[in-house]
Amino acid sequence: MATDTQYADRIINLSIHNGLVRIDLGTVDTYLDGEERKQRAEVTQRVVMPVDGFVRSFAMQQRMLDQLNERAKSAQGAADAEGAQTGASSDEKAPAGA
């Protein structure tokens, strides 16, 4: 069975009715209104699922956010360590009295 892949910039709206969660997904377009840049969100598709399925999917999203936060902390730690090493080697190479 083929999987149908859809793209969305963001969740536009969430609602619940009769035990079903409706998730409106959409895209965002940027346009000029005179001199001002504005954005317009448009619903392009809807996902409907039972509440228990939504709760489980929310838990999956939370785990993904936790992983992304860990990656960001690791990347920041590596950048800080590299900056400290670069600063130390620069100090070593600087001529006295500079």
Side-chain angles (χ1 to χ4, degrees):
M1 184 169 131
T3 301
D4 188 21
T5 301
Q6 300 291 321
Y7 175 82
D9 288 319
R10 64 178 63 161
I11 294 174
I12 304 292
N13 189 41
L14 288 170
S15 61
I16 186 168
H17 185 69
N18 292 334
L20 296 173
V21 175
R22 288 168 174 76
I23 306 168
D24 292 334
L25 304 173
T27 57
V28 177
D29 292 324
T30 302
Y31 65 97
L32 288 176
D33 184 11
E35 296 290 321
E36 187 177 350
R37 290 180 72 98
K38 293 188 176 182
Q39 290 188 332
R40 171 181 41 233
E42 180 181 351
V43 175
T44 56
Q45 59 231 334
R46 177 176 288 154
V47 176
V48 180
M49 60 190 336
V51 172
D52 64 325
F54 174 76
V55 171
R56 280 192 223 118
S57 68
F58 184 78
M60 290 174 68
Q61 290 179 50
Q62 185 61 56
R63 285 193 298 275
M64 178 62 69
L65 285 173
D66 293 343
Q67 289 176 8
L68 290 172
N69 284 331
E70 279 301 312
R71 288 181 188 174
K73 287 178 188 176
S74 295
Q76 183 61 47
D80 290 346
E82 183 177 319
Q85 289 175 353
T86 303
S89 62
S90 295
D91 291 342
E92 293 168 5
K93 294 178 186 176

mmCIF file of all heavy atoms in Angstrom, residues 1-54:
data_model
loop_
_atom_site.group_PDB
_atom_site.id
_atom_site.type_symbol
_atom_site.label_atom_id
_atom_site.label_comp_id
_atom_site.label_asym_id
_atom_site.label_seq_id
_atom_site.Cartn_x
_atom_site.Cartn_y
_atom_site.Cartn_z
ATOM 1 N N MET A 1 0.844 -1.179 0.000
ATOM 2 C CA MET A 1 0.000 0.000 0.000
ATOM 3 C C MET A 1 0.890 1.243 0.000
ATOM 4 O O MET A 1 1.785 1.389 0.818
ATOM 5 C CB MET A 1 -0.890 -0.019 1.241
ATOM 6 C CG MET A 1 -1.862 1.112 1.289
ATOM 7 S SD MET A 1 -3.044 0.817 2.606
ATOM 8 C CE MET A 1 -2.989 2.371 3.412
ATOM 9 N N ALA A 2 0.662 2.169 -0.889
ATOM 10 C CA ALA A 2 1.441 3.403 -0.985
ATOM 11 C C ALA A 2 0.993 4.390 0.086
ATOM 12 O O ALA A 2 -0.183 4.462 0.442
ATOM 13 C CB ALA A 2 1.270 4.012 -2.361
ATOM 14 N N THR A 3 1.961 5.135 0.609
ATOM 15 C CA THR A 3 1.671 6.166 1.597
ATOM 16 C C THR A 3 1.551 7.501 0.877
ATOM 17 O O THR A 3 2.417 7.873 0.098
ATOM 18 C CB THR A 3 2.805 6.247 2.642
ATOM 19 O OG1 THR A 3 2.921 4.982 3.275
ATOM 20 C CG2 THR A 3 2.522 7.306 3.664
ATOM 21 N N ASP A 4 0.501 8.224 1.166
ATOM 22 C CA ASP A 4 0.273 9.529 0.568
ATOM 23 C C ASP A 4 0.955 10.577 1.446
ATOM 24 O O ASP A 4 0.596 10.745 2.607
ATOM 25 C CB ASP A 4 -1.232 9.791 0.474
ATOM 26 C CG ASP A 4 -1.553 11.045 -0.300
ATOM 27 O OD1 ASP A 4 -0.707 11.502 -1.083
ATOM 28 O OD2 ASP A 4 -2.666 11.562 -0.119
ATOM 29 N N THR A 5 1.960 11.271 0.924
ATOM 30 C CA THR A 5 2.694 12.268 1.682
ATOM 31 C C THR A 5 2.099 13.646 1.429
ATOM 32 O O THR A 5 1.894 14.041 0.281
ATOM 33 C CB THR A 5 4.184 12.271 1.276
ATOM 34 O OG1 THR A 5 4.724 10.980 1.523
ATOM 35 C CG2 THR A 5 4.966 13.305 2.055
ATOM 36 N N GLN A 6 1.822 14.344 2.515
ATOM 37 C CA GLN A 6 1.282 15.698 2.434
ATOM 38 C C GLN A 6 2.250 16.650 3.133
ATOM 39 O O GLN A 6 2.930 16.265 4.073
ATOM 40 C CB GLN A 6 -0.079 15.777 3.140
ATOM 41 C CG GLN A 6 -1.131 14.869 2.568
ATOM 42 C CD GLN A 6 -1.566 15.307 1.185
ATOM 43 O OE1 GLN A 6 -1.696 16.489 0.916
ATOM 44 N NE2 GLN A 6 -1.772 14.341 0.309
ATOM 45 N N TYR A 7 2.313 17.891 2.687
ATOM 46 C CA TYR A 7 3.162 18.894 3.315
ATOM 47 C C TYR A 7 2.279 19.955 3.962
ATOM 48 O O TYR A 7 1.257 20.365 3.405
ATOM 49 C CB TYR A 7 4.077 19.572 2.287
ATOM 50 C CG TYR A 7 4.856 20.692 2.903
ATOM 51 C CD1 TYR A 7 6.015 20.433 3.617
ATOM 52 C CD2 TYR A 7 4.409 22.000 2.822
ATOM 53 C CE1 TYR A 7 6.718 21.450 4.228
ATOM 54 C CE2 TYR A 7 5.107 23.022 3.424
ATOM 55 C CZ TYR A 7 6.261 22.752 4.122
ATOM 56 O OH TYR A 7 6.948 23.767 4.726
ATOM 57 N N ALA A 8 2.710 20.420 5.144
ATOM 58 C CA ALA A 8 2.032 21.526 5.820
ATOM 59 C C ALA A 8 3.083 22.358 6.529
ATOM 60 O O ALA A 8 4.038 21.821 7.088
ATOM 61 C CB ALA A 8 1.004 21.006 6.818
ATOM 62 N N ASP A 9 2.918 23.681 6.482
ATOM 63 C CA ASP A 9 3.804 24.571 7.230
ATOM 64 C C ASP A 9 3.520 24.519 8.722
ATOM 65 O O ASP A 9 4.422 24.663 9.528
ATOM 66 C CB ASP A 9 3.649 26.025 6.758
ATOM 67 C CG ASP A 9 4.237 26.267 5.381
ATOM 68 O OD1 ASP A 9 5.327 25.733 5.104
ATOM 69 O OD2 ASP A 9 3.610 27.002 4.594
ATOM 70 N N ARG A 10 2.251 24.338 9.064
ATOM 71 C CA ARG A 10 1.880 24.345 10.478
ATOM 72 C C ARG A 10 0.461 23.823 10.692
ATOM 73 O O ARG A 10 -0.291 23.642 9.749
ATOM 74 C CB ARG A 10 1.997 25.740 11.060
ATOM 75 C CG ARG A 10 1.030 26.731 10.425
ATOM 76 C CD ARG A 10 1.097 28.105 11.021
ATOM 77 N NE ARG A 10 2.412 28.681 10.790
ATOM 78 C CZ ARG A 10 2.688 29.970 10.851
ATOM 79 N NH1 ARG A 10 1.744 30.816 11.143
ATOM 80 N NH2 ARG A 10 3.894 30.419 10.620
ATOM 81 N N ILE A 11 0.149 23.628 11.963
ATOM 82 C CA ILE A 11 -1.228 23.332 12.357
ATOM 83 C C ILE A 11 -1.942 24.666 12.442
ATOM 84 O O ILE A 11 -1.505 25.577 13.147
ATOM 85 C CB ILE A 11 -1.285 22.585 13.706
ATOM 86 C CG1 ILE A 11 -0.645 21.197 13.560
ATOM 87 C CG2 ILE A 11 -2.728 22.478 14.205
ATOM 88 C CD1 ILE A 11 -0.526 20.441 14.874
ATOM 89 N N ILE A 12 -3.041 24.796 11.727
ATOM 90 C CA ILE A 12 -3.801 26.041 11.694
ATOM 91 C C ILE A 12 -4.824 26.075 12.828
ATOM 92 O O ILE A 12 -5.023 27.103 13.456
ATOM 93 C CB ILE A 12 -4.527 26.207 10.333
ATOM 94 C CG1 ILE A 12 -3.542 26.131 9.166
ATOM 95 C CG2 ILE A 12 -5.341 27.485 10.307
ATOM 96 C CD1 ILE A 12 -2.565 27.260 9.058
ATOM 97 N N ASN A 13 -5.450 24.926 13.086
ATOM 98 C CA ASN A 13 -6.497 24.890 14.111
ATOM 99 C C ASN A 13 -6.649 23.465 14.632
ATOM 100 O O ASN A 13 -6.398 22.496 13.921
ATOM 101 C CB ASN A 13 -7.828 25.361 13.512
ATOM 102 C CG ASN A 13 -8.887 25.564 14.569
ATOM 103 O OD1 ASN A 13 -8.613 26.079 15.646
ATOM 104 N ND2 ASN A 13 -10.104 25.157 14.270
ATOM 105 N N LEU A 14 -7.049 23.369 15.892
ATOM 106 C CA LEU A 14 -7.408 22.093 16.530
ATOM 107 C C LEU A 14 -8.801 22.238 17.116
ATOM 108 O O LEU A 14 -9.124 23.264 17.718
ATOM 109 C CB LEU A 14 -6.456 21.769 17.685
ATOM 110 C CG LEU A 14 -5.040 21.360 17.353
ATOM 111 C CD1 LEU A 14 -4.203 21.325 18.614
ATOM 112 C CD2 LEU A 14 -5.034 20.005 16.689
ATOM 113 N N SER A 15 -9.622 21.212 16.951
ATOM 114 C CA SER A 15 -10.942 21.227 17.580
ATOM 115 C C SER A 15 -11.327 19.796 17.932
ATOM 116 O O SER A 15 -10.754 18.839 17.426
ATOM 117 C CB SER A 15 -11.988 21.853 16.645
ATOM 118 O OG SER A 15 -12.107 21.103 15.458
ATOM 119 N N ILE A 16 -12.293 19.679 18.817
ATOM 120 C CA ILE A 16 -12.790 18.361 19.204
ATOM 121 C C ILE A 16 -14.313 18.391 19.134
ATOM 122 O O ILE A 16 -14.944 19.364 19.549
ATOM 123 C CB ILE A 16 -12.289 17.951 20.607
ATOM 124 C CG1 ILE A 16 -12.696 16.517 20.924
ATOM 125 C CG2 ILE A 16 -12.755 18.913 21.667
ATOM 126 C CD1 ILE A 16 -12.007 15.953 22.139
ATOM 127 N N HIS A 17 -14.867 17.328 18.562
ATOM 128 C CA HIS A 17 -16.317 17.234 18.430
ATOM 129 C C HIS A 17 -16.692 15.761 18.392
ATOM 130 O O HIS A 17 -16.135 14.995 17.602
ATOM 131 C CB HIS A 17 -16.766 17.942 17.147
ATOM 132 C CG HIS A 17 -18.243 17.996 16.981
ATOM 133 N ND1 HIS A 17 -19.052 18.770 17.787
ATOM 134 C CD2 HIS A 17 -19.068 17.365 16.107
ATOM 135 C CE1 HIS A 17 -20.305 18.619 17.408
ATOM 136 N NE2 HIS A 17 -20.338 17.761 16.392
ATOM 137 N N ASN A 18 -17.612 15.368 19.258
ATOM 138 C CA ASN A 18 -18.097 13.987 19.323
ATOM 139 C C ASN A 18 -16.967 12.972 19.476
ATOM 140 O O ASN A 18 -16.962 11.921 18.829
ATOM 141 C CB ASN A 18 -18.934 13.635 18.085
ATOM 142 C CG ASN A 18 -20.242 14.380 18.044
ATOM 143 O OD1 ASN A 18 -20.783 14.785 19.073
ATOM 144 N ND2 ASN A 18 -20.754 14.599 16.846
ATOM 145 N N GLY A 19 -15.983 13.291 20.300
ATOM 146 C CA GLY A 19 -14.906 12.351 20.579
ATOM 147 C C GLY A 19 -13.846 12.250 19.495
ATOM 148 O O GLY A 19 -12.996 11.368 19.545
ATOM 149 N N LEU A 20 -13.895 13.146 18.516
ATOM 150 C CA LEU A 20 -12.903 13.151 17.439
ATOM 151 C C LEU A 20 -12.146 14.478 17.439
ATOM 152 O O LEU A 20 -12.744 15.546 17.566
ATOM 153 C CB LEU A 20 -13.568 12.953 16.083
ATOM 154 C CG LEU A 20 -14.263 11.610 15.870
ATOM 155 C CD1 LEU A 20 -15.022 11.616 14.546
ATOM 156 C CD2 LEU A 20 -13.259 10.473 15.915
ATOM 157 N N VAL A 21 -10.846 14.386 17.299
ATOM 158 C CA VAL A 21 -10.012 15.580 17.213
ATOM 159 C C VAL A 21 -9.818 15.892 15.739
ATOM 160 O O VAL A 21 -9.473 15.016 14.946
ATOM 161 C CB VAL A 21 -8.648 15.351 17.898
ATOM 162 C CG1 VAL A 21 -7.738 16.546 17.714
ATOM 163 C CG2 VAL A 21 -8.840 15.044 19.376
ATOM 164 N N ARG A 22 -10.059 17.134 15.399
ATOM 165 C CA ARG A 22 -9.846 17.592 14.026
ATOM 166 C C ARG A 22 -8.636 18.515 14.023
ATOM 167 O O ARG A 22 -8.591 19.500 14.758
ATOM 168 C CB ARG A 22 -11.080 18.331 13.514
ATOM 169 C CG ARG A 22 -12.236 17.395 13.247
ATOM 170 C CD ARG A 22 -13.538 18.161 13.020
ATOM 171 N NE ARG A 22 -14.616 17.288 12.619
ATOM 172 C CZ ARG A 22 -15.277 16.477 13.448
ATOM 173 N NH1 ARG A 22 -14.965 16.420 14.712
ATOM 174 N NH2 ARG A 22 -16.258 15.716 12.993
ATOM 175 N N ILE A 23 -7.657 18.186 13.191
ATOM 176 C CA ILE A 23 -6.426 18.959 13.084
ATOM 177 C C ILE A 23 -6.378 19.536 11.672
ATOM 178 O O ILE A 23 -6.262 18.790 10.696
ATOM 179 C CB ILE A 23 -5.186 18.069 13.333
ATOM 180 C CG1 ILE A 23 -5.315 17.341 14.662
ATOM 181 C CG2 ILE A 23 -3.912 18.900 13.266
ATOM 182 C CD1 ILE A 23 -4.296 16.234 14.866
ATOM 183 N N ASP A 24 -6.516 20.853 11.589
ATOM 184 C CA ASP A 24 -6.436 21.520 10.299
ATOM 185 C C ASP A 24 -4.985 21.891 10.030
ATOM 186 O O ASP A 24 -4.357 22.606 10.812
ATOM 187 C CB ASP A 24 -7.297 22.788 10.270
ATOM 188 C CG ASP A 24 -8.788 22.480 10.336
ATOM 189 O OD1 ASP A 24 -9.173 21.372 9.920
ATOM 190 O OD2 ASP A 24 -9.554 23.343 10.792
ATOM 191 N N LEU A 25 -4.445 21.382 8.922
ATOM 192 C CA LEU A 25 -3.074 21.666 8.520
ATOM 193 C C LEU A 25 -3.104 22.640 7.357
ATOM 194 O O LEU A 25 -4.057 22.667 6.585
ATOM 195 C CB LEU A 25 -2.375 20.375 8.084
ATOM 196 C CG LEU A 25 -2.361 19.242 9.112
ATOM 197 C CD1 LEU A 25 -1.796 17.977 8.488
ATOM 198 C CD2 LEU A 25 -1.563 19.635 10.336
ATOM 199 N N GLY A 26 -2.045 23.424 7.238
ATOM 200 C CA GLY A 26 -2.057 24.373 6.133
ATOM 201 C C GLY A 26 -0.701 24.923 5.782
ATOM 202 O O GLY A 26 0.317 24.579 6.375
ATOM 203 N N THR A 27 -0.731 25.783 4.796
ATOM 204 C CA THR A 27 0.471 26.448 4.324
ATOM 205 C C THR A 27 0.356 27.939 4.606
ATOM 206 O O THR A 27 -0.739 28.467 4.800
ATOM 207 C CB THR A 27 0.676 26.227 2.815
ATOM 208 O OG1 THR A 27 -0.481 26.690 2.119
ATOM 209 C CG2 THR A 27 0.898 24.762 2.500
ATOM 210 N N VAL A 28 1.511 28.590 4.628
ATOM 211 C CA VAL A 28 1.563 30.023 4.899
ATOM 212 C C VAL A 28 2.183 30.710 3.693
ATOM 213 O O VAL A 28 3.247 30.313 3.224
ATOM 214 C CB VAL A 28 2.393 30.317 6.168
ATOM 215 C CG1 VAL A 28 2.504 31.809 6.413
ATOM 216 C CG2 VAL A 28 1.779 29.619 7.370
ATOM 217 N N ASP A 29 1.501 31.732 3.190
ATOM 218 C CA ASP A 29 2.006 32.540 2.081
ATOM 219 C C ASP A 29 2.346 33.928 2.601
ATOM 220 O O ASP A 29 1.639 34.479 3.445
ATOM 221 C CB ASP A 29 0.950 32.678 0.978
ATOM 222 C CG ASP A 29 0.683 31.378 0.264
ATOM 223 O OD1 ASP A 29 1.633 30.605 0.073
ATOM 224 O OD2 ASP A 29 -0.488 31.131 -0.092
ATOM 225 N N THR A 30 3.440 34.479 2.095
ATOM 226 C CA THR A 30 3.823 35.844 2.428
ATOM 227 C C THR A 30 3.488 36.720 1.227
ATOM 228 O O THR A 30 3.746 36.353 0.087
ATOM 229 C CB THR A 30 5.328 35.925 2.739
ATOM 230 O OG1 THR A 30 5.608 35.039 3.823
ATOM 231 C CG2 THR A 30 5.734 37.323 3.141
ATOM 232 N N TYR A 31 2.897 37.885 1.500
ATOM 233 C CA TYR A 31 2.538 38.795 0.426
ATOM 234 C C TYR A 31 2.749 40.230 0.888
ATOM 235 O O TYR A 31 2.888 40.503 2.085
ATOM 236 C CB TYR A 31 1.092 38.568 -0.025
ATOM 237 C CG TYR A 31 0.065 38.898 1.022
ATOM 238 C CD1 TYR A 31 -0.571 40.143 1.023
ATOM 239 C CD2 TYR A 31 -0.280 37.983 2.009
ATOM 240 C CE1 TYR A 31 -1.509 40.457 1.995
ATOM 241 C CE2 TYR A 31 -1.219 38.286 2.975
ATOM 242 C CZ TYR A 31 -1.830 39.519 2.966
ATOM 243 O OH TYR A 31 -2.755 39.829 3.925
ATOM 244 N N LEU A 32 2.809 41.136 -0.062
ATOM 245 C CA LEU A 32 2.962 42.560 0.247
ATOM 246 C C LEU A 32 1.605 43.235 0.211
ATOM 247 O O LEU A 32 0.831 43.055 -0.729
ATOM 248 C CB LEU A 32 3.895 43.242 -0.752
ATOM 249 C CG LEU A 32 5.372 42.916 -0.643
ATOM 250 C CD1 LEU A 32 6.142 43.588 -1.768
ATOM 251 C CD2 LEU A 32 5.920 43.357 0.703
ATOM 252 N N ASP A 33 1.328 44.018 1.248
ATOM 253 C CA ASP A 33 0.128 44.841 1.303
ATOM 254 C C ASP A 33 0.622 46.282 1.367
ATOM 255 O O ASP A 33 0.904 46.795 2.444
ATOM 256 C CB ASP A 33 -0.706 44.476 2.528
ATOM 257 C CG ASP A 33 -2.013 45.229 2.581
ATOM 258 O OD1 ASP A 33 -2.385 45.874 1.579
ATOM 259 O OD2 ASP A 33 -2.662 45.195 3.654
ATOM 260 N N GLY A 34 0.786 46.870 0.208
ATOM 261 C CA GLY A 34 1.436 48.182 0.142
ATOM 262 C C GLY A 34 2.911 47.994 0.443
ATOM 263 O O GLY A 34 3.614 47.265 -0.237
ATOM 264 N N GLU A 35 3.388 48.613 1.500
ATOM 265 C CA GLU A 35 4.789 48.494 1.920
ATOM 266 C C GLU A 35 4.982 47.409 2.972
ATOM 267 O O GLU A 35 6.097 47.058 3.313
ATOM 268 C CB GLU A 35 5.277 49.834 2.485
ATOM 269 C CG GLU A 35 5.306 50.958 1.481
ATOM 270 C CD GLU A 35 6.402 50.767 0.447
ATOM 271 O OE1 GLU A 35 7.502 50.312 0.808
ATOM 272 O OE2 GLU A 35 6.141 51.077 -0.734
ATOM 273 N N GLU A 36 3.890 46.884 3.493
ATOM 274 C CA GLU A 36 3.946 45.953 4.626
ATOM 275 C C GLU A 36 3.894 44.493 4.152
ATOM 276 O O GLU A 36 3.068 44.119 3.320
ATOM 277 C CB GLU A 36 2.755 46.234 5.550
ATOM 278 C CG GLU A 36 2.788 45.471 6.825
ATOM 279 C CD GLU A 36 1.610 45.838 7.732
ATOM 280 O OE1 GLU A 36 0.887 46.806 7.441
ATOM 281 O OE2 GLU A 36 1.433 45.117 8.729
ATOM 282 N N ARG A 37 4.822 43.678 4.708
ATOM 283 C CA ARG A 37 4.807 42.235 4.432
ATOM 284 C C ARG A 37 3.831 41.574 5.398
ATOM 285 O O ARG A 37 3.903 41.785 6.600
ATOM 286 C CB ARG A 37 6.194 41.635 4.628
ATOM 287 C CG ARG A 37 7.187 42.061 3.589
ATOM 288 C CD ARG A 37 8.521 41.420 3.847
ATOM 289 N NE ARG A 37 8.484 40.011 3.545
ATOM 290 C CZ ARG A 37 8.916 39.479 2.407
ATOM 291 N NH1 ARG A 37 9.432 40.250 1.484
ATOM 292 N NH2 ARG A 37 8.857 38.190 2.199
ATOM 293 N N LYS A 38 2.937 40.774 4.871
ATOM 294 C CA LYS A 38 1.957 40.063 5.691
ATOM 295 C C LYS A 38 2.002 38.585 5.358
ATOM 296 O O LYS A 38 2.480 38.189 4.309
ATOM 297 C CB LYS A 38 0.551 40.613 5.448
ATOM 298 C CG LYS A 38 0.353 42.027 5.937
ATOM 299 C CD LYS A 38 -1.088 42.423 5.828
ATOM 300 C CE LYS A 38 -1.296 43.811 6.401
ATOM 301 N NZ LYS A 38 -2.717 44.200 6.344
ATOM 302 N N GLN A 39 1.465 37.791 6.276
ATOM 303 C CA GLN A 39 1.359 36.357 6.060
ATOM 304 C C GLN A 39 -0.106 35.942 6.125
ATOM 305 O O GLN A 39 -0.875 36.489 6.910
ATOM 306 C CB GLN A 39 2.154 35.577 7.093
ATOM 307 C CG GLN A 39 3.641 35.711 6.929
ATOM 308 C CD GLN A 39 4.390 34.782 7.845
ATOM 309 O OE1 GLN A 39 3.919 34.409 8.906
ATOM 310 N NE2 GLN A 39 5.587 34.398 7.431
ATOM 311 N N ARG A 40 -0.423 34.976 5.295
ATOM 312 C CA ARG A 40 -1.788 34.448 5.266
ATOM 313 C C ARG A 40 -1.690 32.929 5.352
ATOM 314 O O ARG A 40 -0.973 32.295 4.573
ATOM 315 C CB ARG A 40 -2.459 34.887 3.965
ATOM 316 C CG ARG A 40 -3.795 34.248 3.700
ATOM 317 C CD ARG A 40 -4.420 34.701 2.385
ATOM 318 N NE ARG A 40 -3.466 34.806 1.304
ATOM 319 C CZ ARG A 40 -3.299 35.895 0.543
ATOM 320 N NH1 ARG A 40 -4.021 36.976 0.738
ATOM 321 N NH2 ARG A 40 -2.402 35.901 -0.434
ATOM 322 N N ALA A 41 -2.390 32.347 6.311
ATOM 323 C CA ALA A 41 -2.416 30.894 6.474
ATOM 324 C C ALA A 41 -3.686 30.352 5.817
ATOM 325 O O ALA A 41 -4.760 30.919 5.970
ATOM 326 C CB ALA A 41 -2.382 30.523 7.944
ATOM 327 N N GLU A 42 -3.519 29.258 5.094
ATOM 328 C CA GLU A 42 -4.647 28.644 4.400
ATOM 329 C C GLU A 42 -4.708 27.162 4.741
ATOM 330 O O GLU A 42 -3.711 26.451 4.628
ATOM 331 C CB GLU A 42 -4.488 28.818 2.900
ATOM 332 C CG GLU A 42 -5.605 28.205 2.100
ATOM 333 C CD GLU A 42 -5.401 28.387 0.597
ATOM 334 O OE1 GLU A 42 -4.495 29.130 0.194
ATOM 335 O OE2 GLU A 42 -6.149 27.745 -0.153
ATOM 336 N N VAL A 43 -5.868 26.694 5.181
ATOM 337 C CA VAL A 43 -6.055 25.273 5.481
ATOM 338 C C VAL A 43 -6.023 24.506 4.171
ATOM 339 O O VAL A 43 -6.730 24.844 3.214
ATOM 340 C CB VAL A 43 -7.386 25.031 6.227
ATOM 341 C CG1 VAL A 43 -7.632 23.546 6.427
ATOM 342 C CG2 VAL A 43 -7.396 25.765 7.563
ATOM 343 N N THR A 44 -5.168 23.471 4.137
ATOM 344 C CA THR A 44 -5.053 22.666 2.924
ATOM 345 C C THR A 44 -5.523 21.226 3.116
ATOM 346 O O THR A 44 -5.810 20.537 2.149
ATOM 347 C CB THR A 44 -3.596 22.649 2.425
ATOM 348 O OG1 THR A 44 -2.751 22.177 3.475
ATOM 349 C CG2 THR A 44 -3.153 24.033 1.983
ATOM 350 N N GLN A 45 -5.582 20.786 4.372
ATOM 351 C CA GLN A 45 -6.051 19.426 4.647
ATOM 352 C C GLN A 45 -6.447 19.300 6.117
ATOM 353 O O GLN A 45 -6.095 20.150 6.927
ATOM 354 C CB GLN A 45 -4.978 18.395 4.304
ATOM 355 C CG GLN A 45 -3.685 18.551 5.048
ATOM 356 C CD GLN A 45 -2.498 18.555 4.116
ATOM 357 O OE1 GLN A 45 -2.560 18.004 3.043
ATOM 358 N NE2 GLN A 45 -1.428 19.176 4.513
ATOM 359 N N ARG A 46 -7.163 18.246 6.417
ATOM 360 C CA ARG A 46 -7.626 18.006 7.790
ATOM 361 C C ARG A 46 -7.367 16.554 8.152
ATOM 362 O O ARG A 46 -7.634 15.648 7.371
ATOM 363 C CB ARG A 46 -9.108 18.309 7.903
ATOM 364 C CG ARG A 46 -9.671 18.008 9.300
ATOM 365 C CD ARG A 46 -11.117 18.390 9.424
ATOM 366 N NE ARG A 46 -11.198 19.842 9.451
ATOM 367 C CZ ARG A 46 -12.251 20.544 9.072
ATOM 368 N NH1 ARG A 46 -13.316 19.935 8.633
ATOM 369 N NH2 ARG A 46 -12.243 21.848 9.142
ATOM 370 N N VAL A 47 -6.856 16.368 9.362
ATOM 371 C CA VAL A 47 -6.680 15.032 9.920
ATOM 372 C C VAL A 47 -7.722 14.888 11.028
ATOM 373 O O VAL A 47 -7.860 15.772 11.876
ATOM 374 C CB VAL A 47 -5.259 14.847 10.507
ATOM 375 C CG1 VAL A 47 -5.116 13.493 11.175
ATOM 376 C CG2 VAL A 47 -4.209 15.041 9.430
ATOM 377 N N VAL A 48 -8.463 13.801 11.012
ATOM 378 C CA VAL A 48 -9.470 13.534 12.040
ATOM 379 C C VAL A 48 -9.089 12.223 12.711
ATOM 380 O O VAL A 48 -8.843 11.222 12.029
ATOM 381 C CB VAL A 48 -10.889 13.430 11.427
ATOM 382 C CG1 VAL A 48 -11.916 13.159 12.520
ATOM 383 C CG2 VAL A 48 -11.232 14.695 10.650
ATOM 384 N N MET A 49 -9.021 12.246 14.045
ATOM 385 C CA MET A 49 -8.624 11.036 14.776
ATOM 386 C C MET A 49 -9.324 10.985 16.125
ATOM 387 O O MET A 49 -9.737 12.017 16.653
ATOM 388 C CB MET A 49 -7.099 10.992 14.949
ATOM 389 C CG MET A 49 -6.519 12.144 15.700
ATOM 390 S SD MET A 49 -4.699 12.305 15.691
ATOM 391 C CE MET A 49 -4.092 10.738 15.403
ATOM 392 N N PRO A 50 -9.446 9.787 16.706
ATOM 393 C CA PRO A 50 -10.059 9.679 18.034
ATOM 394 C C PRO A 50 -9.146 10.327 19.080
ATOM 395 O O PRO A 50 -7.930 10.451 18.876
ATOM 396 C CB PRO A 50 -10.188 8.176 18.267
ATOM 397 C CG PRO A 50 -9.315 7.520 17.260
ATOM 398 C CD PRO A 50 -9.079 8.484 16.155
ATOM 399 N N VAL A 51 -9.736 10.741 20.187
ATOM 400 C CA VAL A 51 -8.997 11.437 21.240
ATOM 401 C C VAL A 51 -7.821 10.599 21.737
ATOM 402 O O VAL A 51 -6.716 11.124 21.906
ATOM 403 C CB VAL A 51 -9.932 11.817 22.416
ATOM 404 C CG1 VAL A 51 -9.136 12.369 23.585
ATOM 405 C CG2 VAL A 51 -10.967 12.829 21.951
ATOM 406 N N ASP A 52 -8.012 9.298 21.967
ATOM 407 C CA ASP A 52 -6.903 8.481 22.484
ATOM 408 C C ASP A 52 -5.737 8.423 21.484
ATOM 409 O O ASP A 52 -4.576 8.445 21.869
ATOM 410 C CB ASP A 52 -7.357 7.077 22.880
ATOM 411 C CG ASP A 52 -7.875 6.257 21.719
ATOM 412 O OD1 ASP A 52 -8.498 6.827 20.808
ATOM 413 O OD2 ASP A 52 -7.651 5.029 21.729
ATOM 414 N N GLY A 53 -6.028 8.393 20.208
ATOM 415 C CA GLY A 53 -4.968 8.430 19.197
ATOM 416 C C GLY A 53 -4.243 9.766 19.203
ATOM 417 O O GLY A 53 -3.020 9.831 19.048
ATOM 418 N N PHE A 54 -4.977 10.848 19.401
ATOM 419 C CA PHE A 54 -4.369 12.176 19.482
ATOM 420 C C PHE A 54 -3.446 12.269 20.690
ATOM 421 O O PHE A 54 -2.335 12.783 20.590
ATOM 422 C CB PHE A 54 -5.453 13.251 19.553
ATOM 423 C CG PHE A 54 -4.914 14.627 19.783
ATOM 424 C CD1 PHE A 54 -4.296 15.329 18.754
ATOM 425 C CD2 PHE A 54 -5.009 15.208 21.029
ATOM 426 C CE1 PHE A 54 -3.793 16.595 18.970
ATOM 427 C CE2 PHE A 54 -4.507 16.476 21.252
ATOM 428 C CZ PHE A 54 -3.899 17.182 20.219
#
